[in-house]
Amino acid sequence: MSITEFLQALESTAFATAVREGAILFPFAESLHVVALAFVIGTVVFVDLRLLGLASRNQPVTRLTNDLLPWTWGAFVLAAITGLSLFSSTPERYFTNTFFRWKFFFMFLAGVNMLVFHFVTQKNVKEWDNDPVPPTPARVAGALSILFWACVIVFGRWVGFTL
Amino acid sequence: MPDAGITAFADWIATTSLSHLIAQKLWAIPAIQSVHIMSLAIVFSSALVVDFRMLGLMSTGQPLSAIARRFLPGVWIALIFATISGLLLLIAEPVRSLPTWEFQGKMLSLLCVIILTLSFQKLIAARAPAWDAMPGVPAGAKLAALVSIVLWILIIFGGRWIAYHAG
């Protein structure tokens, strides 16, 4: 099955048709998408600001991440489900949209940045968990994360104007 | 509701040069909306962290007053940016937003949640010794925290729904 065939099959599902043709389902999924992404990006930025040494400086880094990130992942799942619902309404139009592709490129970069932080930078977190200003690699991870997620928002918003 | 007055006001804003300037630049509205989304992400998340702590769902190992002191300033600072970007969007497209029930309901909800959050801030400080030791606040305050979450979600829905306003 080619990508085009897959997108067409997705578009012809009963669910996609309901999202596309109903008056309520699309705006509802879109609003829920904003609720979810607001929580994802807000809580990620809280962690990023801590890594930059700009906020929550009296908190151990791992306490903040342990408190916030499970909720962040929950909201991310909601953003993914609602996002996929919106995508399914007109899959080919999203898939071929340049801004949509840039959005996912930056989400990919945010993911890579997160993995590098998690598996490399954070390995010796015990040594700097309580430092008000974490070491340079952690600060770089925080700054890149804010940059990449801001790009995700900007390109995501443009999709709505260019479909 | 004084709809005729609001519509006339919206029509007047649409004639101003600032309104023309924003509306005519193709990139201006998506750019301002992006700033609006980033601001609301901070407002919403800051408020929800405090609400979740009040409900006993998050950061229960830390005193409520410490969580409130850390996160509530974020609500107010980011709300300034959300208000400025929101005002620019209103000025750009006043007729599309001002007279709609979605926008008016959003503003009413915002007013309610601001008052609620201000009272949380005072109450959490006043009850600090007792409430800090508890994983969650007493039932009445828990209900208020739940109302706060619902209001913030309504505000986001109202904002997004302006774009779909019919008639």
Side-chain angles (χ1 to χ4, degrees), chain A residues 101-154:
Chain A
R101 292 184 169 193
W102 278 104
K103 172 183 173 172
F104 276 85
F105 173 69
F106 281 107
M107 205 139 67
F108 170 75
L109 290 184
V112 171
N113 181 53
M114 181 192 72
L115 289 174
V116 170
F117 175 76
H118 191 81
F119 289 108
V120 183
T121 316
Q122 211 188 14
K123 268 198 160 173
N124 61 347
V125 67
K126 279 193 183 117
E127 293 161 29
W128 48 269
D129 206 9
N130 291 302
D131 291 2
V133 181
T136 306
R139 295 210 303 278
V140 170
L144 285 177
S145 169
I146 291 178
L147 178 70
F148 293 153
W149 282 110
C151 290
V152 170
I153 291 185
V154 169

Side-chain angles (χ1 to χ4, degrees), chain B residues 8 43 49 51 73 95 106 145 150 165:
Chain B
V43 173
V49 167
D51 291 333
V95 183
K106 173 183 177 179
V150 171
H165 182 81

Side-chain angles (χ1 to χ4, degrees), chain A residues 5-116:
Chain A
E5 283 168 341
F6 172 76
L7 295 176
Q8 282 165 353
L10 179 63
E11 187 168 4
S12 61
T13 59
F15 179 76
T17 309
V19 176
R20 188 171 55 248
E21 291 172 2
I24 299 293
L25 211 47
F26 192 93
F28 185 83
E30 203 182 13
S31 302
L32 214 51
H33 192 62
V34 179
V35 169
L37 76 87
F39 194 77
V40 170
I41 290 176
T43 50
V44 164
V45 168
F46 295 156
V47 173
D48 295 337
L49 291 175
R50 174 65 185 89
L51 292 177
L52 284 164
L54 296 173
S56 307
R57 291 154 61 107
N58 59 354
Q59 288 293 303
V61 172
T62 53
R63 187 196 267 174
L64 197 66
T65 54
N66 289 340
D67 281 359
L68 292 178
L69 294 186
W71 290 86
T72 309
W73 280 112
F76 185 83
V77 170
L78 183 61
I81 294 170
T82 51
L84 191 61
S85 307
L86 299 170
F87 178 82
S88 76
S89 67
T90 47
E92 281 180 280
R93 271 158 77 182
Y94 282 99
F95 189 72
T96 53
N97 182 284
T98 310
F99 293 95
F100 184 80
R101 292 184 169 193
W102 278 104
K103 172 183 173 172
F104 276 85
F105 173 69
F106 281 107
M107 205 139 67
F108 170 75
L109 290 184
V112 171
N113 181 53
M114 181 192 72
L115 289 174
V116 170

Side-chain angles (χ1 to χ4, degrees), chain A residues 26-28 30-31 34-35 37-39 42-43 45-46 56 59 63 67-68 71 150 153-154 157-158 161, chain B residues 26-27 30 33-34 37-38 40-42 44-46 49 52 57-59 62 70-71 156-157 160-161 164:
Chain A
F26 192 93
F28 185 83
E30 203 182 13
S31 302
V34 179
V35 169
L37 76 87
F39 194 77
T43 50
V45 168
F46 295 156
S56 307
Q59 288 293 303
R63 187 196 267 174
D67 281 359
L68 292 178
W71 290 86
I153 291 185
V154 169
R157 195 68 287 265
W158 266 106
F161 288 84
Chain B
L26 192 63
W27 50 266
Q33 283 182 348
S34 298
I37 295 173
M38 290 177 215
L40 79 84
I42 303 296
F44 181 67
S45 304
S46 306
V49 167
F52 284 159
L57 297 173
M58 188 195 266
S59 308
Q62 298 181 66
R70 193 176 322 137
F71 287 100
I156 292 180
F157 268 69
R160 197 72 287 264
W161 228 279
Y164 297 92

Side-chain angles (χ1 to χ4, degrees), chain B residues 36-166:
Chain B
H36 196 63
I37 295 173
M38 290 177 215
S39 313
L40 79 84
I42 303 296
V43 173
F44 181 67
S45 304
S46 306
L48 252 66
V49 167
V50 177
D51 291 333
F52 284 159
R53 173 62 184 82
M54 289 173 76
L55 291 167
L57 297 173
M58 188 195 266
S59 308
T60 46
Q62 298 181 66
L64 173 59
S65 62
I67 296 288
R69 272 198 309 275
R70 193 176 322 137
F71 287 100
L72 287 184
V75 174
W76 308 126
I77 294 166
L79 198 56
I80 294 171
F81 288 91
T83 305
I84 294 170
S85 51
L87 271 174
L88 288 173
L89 292 169
L90 262 189
I91 292 169
E93 301 180 303
V95 183
R96 180 172 174 259
S97 46
L98 266 182
T100 66
W101 64 265
E102 289 89 346
F103 172 76
Q104 293 169 7
K106 173 183 177 179
M107 288 302 112
L108 186 65
S109 307
L110 183 61
L111 185 68
C112 293
V113 88
I114 286 174
I115 293 168
L116 195 59
T117 310
L118 283 172
S119 40
F120 284 170
Q121 211 162 2
K122 280 204 183 323
L123 203 63
I124 289 169
R127 303 281 162 86
W131 284 12
D132 279 357
M134 301 186 205
V137 292
K142 267 189 184 159
L143 185 66
L146 211 57
V147 170
S148 160
I149 295 173
V150 171
L151 283 171
W152 285 115
I153 291 174
L154 278 179
I155 289 165
I156 292 180
F157 268 69
R160 197 72 287 264
W161 228 279
I162 294 169
Y164 297 92
H165 182 81

